[in-house]
Amino acid sequence: MPERKRDFYEVLGVPKDASDDAIKKAYRKLAKENHPDLHPGDKGAEARFKEINEAYEILSDSTKKARYDQFGHAGVDPSYGAGGGHGGGFSGFGAEFDLGSIFESFFGGGFSGDAGRRNAPRRGEHIQTHVMLSFEEAAFGCEKELEVTRIERCEACHGQGTADGSSPQTCKVCRGAGQVRTTRQTPLGSFAAASPCQACHGTGQVIENPCQACRGTGLSRRKVTIQIKIPAGVDVGQTVSLRGQGHAGQNGGPAGDVRVGIDIRPHPLFTRDGTSVHCDFPVTFAEAALGAELEVPTLDGKVKYNMPEGTQNGTVFRLRGKGIPSLHGRGRGDQFVHIAVEVPRGLSRKQKALLQEFANAVGEANYPQKKGFFDRGI
């Protein structure tokens, strides 16, 4: 018996009427708190992180969310609860549901009136996941391995749903049309109506000898490890897509994508604004007054910078080309160095006396801002 899944709203800690913004905010908060990179070796955090991503994948998509609200986990996962053999419905929610219809809903289809359209190729669903990068990895790009769980074509039957090389048979009830027509007599005349064929679930075909591995669905759920190349210059909130790595398509349709949301760990020295990097650099009072050759940290290592004498607190210097590479390959941004003049603390009596002597010798002539402040007549 499959392990019972927690309710997706419960996983994200939001009510069923939560807005899209509330769902996204809850996901980002929980994903950060439980990311495996922040909890190395913690299997519990890893399991929670996967559960959080799976919940967000469904609740962030309006179509999947509607199916989940109506059918629960069975409406969005064809392997959930399957176990009664092919060709019938299954229960567990107080009523019987058409397994074929649920599979079709999972892959984005709907009954269109005939088996030809119903059996047309349909693209698979996308997978939403998340990756945490260091500041440098986001700046210069990197390669990552991600583990995702996706729906794939069954390897045993190559997605056909049949066993021992057999093929689906044309439905004898609807003769392959996928629908049955009924005529009703009313006081206004005869009316014809079409409805999905219950014998073949509207597909026009019946699998008499289903594959035992996938129970005739042609699909299986599997964990896979995929490689993703993160381009240089990505930023928080952006998405990198892996084409064709998502859930398998139906009826020969292409697979969906894996969409990887980007998050970045804070850096102890640098902050980021687009392609610009900012850094606070502390200097002593003497260095600011006399000037000094500074060794400033950058993403490329330390560089020398000659700070001129008389540099004031809050002065900003620019290091051109030392910022973040453009995501579109158009050069690099700049680094901005914010000077913070540090006032000494815990002076000895002798040091205080020397400093007072210095202050008396300088007077106000060397402090134009202070002198000008009082000259304004305040």
Side-chain angles (χ1 to χ4, degrees):
M1 182 148 182
E3 182 181 352
R4 179 186 176 276
K5 286 188 176 182
R6 284 206 299 158
D7 178 76
F8 285 151
Y9 292 100
E10 178 186 343
V11 172
L12 296 184
V14 296
K16 290 192 174 182
D17 59 353
S19 65
D20 292 343
D21 288 341
I23 290 173
K24 184 175 182 179
K25 184 177 180 181
Y27 161 72
R28 290 181 62 82
K29 178 177 181 293
L30 291 171
K32 287 182 179 180
E33 291 176 354
N34 295 277
H35 198 283
D37 286 352
L38 302 180
H39 304 277
D42 187 343
K43 295 298 183 181
E46 182 179 348
R48 289 192 299 273
F49 181 74
K50 292 177 181 177
E51 184 182 43
I52 291 162
N53 274 283
E54 183 182 13
Y56 182 69
E57 177 188 349
I58 301 303
L59 299 185
S60 63
D61 185 298
S62 59
T63 303
K64 293 181 185 178
K65 183 175 181 292
R67 292 199 297 267
Y68 178 73
D69 289 342
Q70 184 176 3
F71 298 112
H73 292 292
V76 293
D77 184 354
S79 67
Y80 185 83
H86 183 80
F90 67 95
S91 59
F93 295 91
E96 186 173 278
F97 293 97
D98 174 12
L99 187 60
S101 297
I102 290 176
F103 284 145
E104 181 164 346
S105 295
F106 181 82
F107 288 102
F111 185 75
S112 59
D114 63 81
R117 292 181 184 178
R118 189 179 179 91
N119 291 327
R122 283 191 289 276
R123 186 178 186 179
E125 297 282 358
H126 301 310
I127 296 175
Q128 303 279 355
T129 188
H130 175 277
V131 67
M132 181 76 75
L133 305 176
S134 70
F135 198 91
E136 290 82 0
E137 287 175 332
F140 298 120
C142 62
E143 290 190 3
K144 289 285 187 179
E145 283 191 351
L146 298 176
E147 186 180 83
V148 298
T149 301
R150 67 186 180 192
I151 304 300
E152 296 185 343
R153 292 182 178 87
C154 175
E155 294 181 353
C157 64
H158 306 290
Q160 296 299 311
T162 57
D164 301 327
S166 59
S167 300
Q169 302 298 311
T170 300
C171 178
K172 296 178 181 178
V173 176
C174 66
R175 298 181 181 179
Q179 58 182 336
V180 292
R181 295 182 178 274
T182 56
T183 302
R184 297 176 58 188
Q185 296 291 337
T186 72
L188 299 177
S190 299
F191 288 88
S195 60
C197 175
Q198 296 300 309
C200 64
H201 310 296
T203 65
Q205 296 179 326
V206 175
I207 297 178
E208 297 179 347
N209 188 19
C211 170
Q212 295 302 308
C214 64
R215 297 183 176 89
T217 65
L219 304 169
S220 62
R221 188 177 181 89
R222 191 163 72 93
K223 288 184 179 180
V224 295
T225 300
I226 56 178
Q227 293 274 351
I228 180 171
K229 187 174 182 180
I230 306 295
V234 294
D235 206 349
V236 172
Q238 294 179 332
T239 301
V240 178
S241 293
L242 286 171
R243 301 289 184 186
Q245 296 292 319
H247 294 303
Q250 192 178 26
N251 301 325
D257 303 335
V258 173
R259 296 178 175 177
V260 184
I262 301 297
D263 210 343
I264 304 172
R265 295 191 197 94
H267 195 280
L269 296 179
F270 305 127
T271 57
R272 177 176 175 175
D273 181 13
T275 59
S276 298
V277 171
H278 295 265
C279 173
D280 292 330
F281 195 92
V283 299
T284 67
F285 171 78
E287 288 174 328
L290 301 175
E293 184 180 74
L294 308 178
E295 281 195 342
V296 181
T298 73
L299 291 173
D300 302 305
K302 293 181 179 180
V303 299
K304 293 186 182 299
Y305 182 84
N306 290 317
M307 181 178 64
E309 64 179 52
T311 296
Q312 301 299 307
N313 183 61
T315 299
V316 180
F317 298 120
R318 177 186 296 212
L319 301 178
R320 295 190 181 277
K322 294 298 182 182
I324 304 293
S326 169
L327 186 60
H328 305 291
R330 301 171 185 169
R332 290 178 62 174
D334 302 327
Q335 178 171 323
F336 295 90
V337 183
H338 300 254
I339 297 298
V341 179
E342 187 173 4
V343 177
R345 299 179 180 179
L347 298 177
S348 67
R349 182 177 299 178
K350 181 179 180 180
Q351 290 169 333
K352 290 179 181 179
L354 290 171
L355 191 58
Q356 185 62 56
E357 183 180 349
F358 167 77
N360 294 337
V362 171
E364 293 188 356
N366 295 89
Y367 296 98
Q369 292 187 24
K370 180 178 180 181
K371 182 179 180 181
F373 178 82
F374 288 102
D375 287 344
R376 295 173 192 167
I378 299 176

